[in-house]
């Protein structure tokens, strides 16, 4: 029997093989900006062609941690400490 194949894997960042689902998970975990996504998984840090796609996935909605991000605070590390 062959191994289970993951279907509908949509890559956002081909350079680091980051999927749309991974970006959405990082966003659910508190990443509000492309820079925070990059800190979490490197997406957008090589050729940069995926940054607009990441922005689109993040949308323009409100983010409870956006103020911290705008002030340059390390939001994701703060989340790790809280866990």
């Amino acid at each position: 029997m062959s191994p289970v194949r993951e279907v509908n894997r949509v890559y956002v960042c081909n350079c680091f093989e980051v999927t749309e689902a991974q970006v959405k998970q990082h966003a659910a975990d508190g990443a509000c900006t492309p820079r925070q996504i990059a800190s979490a998984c490197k997406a957008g840090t090589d050729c940069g062609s995926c940054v607009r796609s990441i922005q689109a996935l993040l949308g323009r909605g409100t983010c409870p941690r956006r103020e911290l991000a705008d002030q340059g605070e390390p939001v994701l590390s703060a989340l790790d400490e809280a866990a």
Side-chain angles (χ1 to χ4, degrees):
M1 180 174 242
S2 65
V4 176
R5 232 177 89 189
E6 190 172 333
V7 180
N8 294 329
R9 178 181 277 189
V10 177
Y11 286 100
V12 173
C13 175
N14 289 317
C15 297
F16 293 105
E17 297 180 351
V18 178
T19 65
E20 185 176 298
Q22 289 171 305
V23 171
K24 288 179 180 180
Q25 183 59 54
H26 289 304
D29 291 342
C32 299
T33 65
R35 183 170 286 172
Q36 291 172 346
I37 295 291
S39 294
C41 63
K42 295 186 180 181
T45 61
D46 194 23
C47 77
S49 66
C50 61
V51 173
R52 287 186 187 243
S53 297
I54 292 168
Q55 288 172 329
L57 287 171
L58 294 173
R60 297 256 183 220
T62 59
C63 177
R65 296 172 201 79
R66 190 170 304 278
E67 287 182 22
L68 289 174
D70 291 342
Q71 295 170 5
E73 297 291 329
V75 175
L76 292 178
S77 62
L79 291 175
D80 290 338
E81 291 171 9

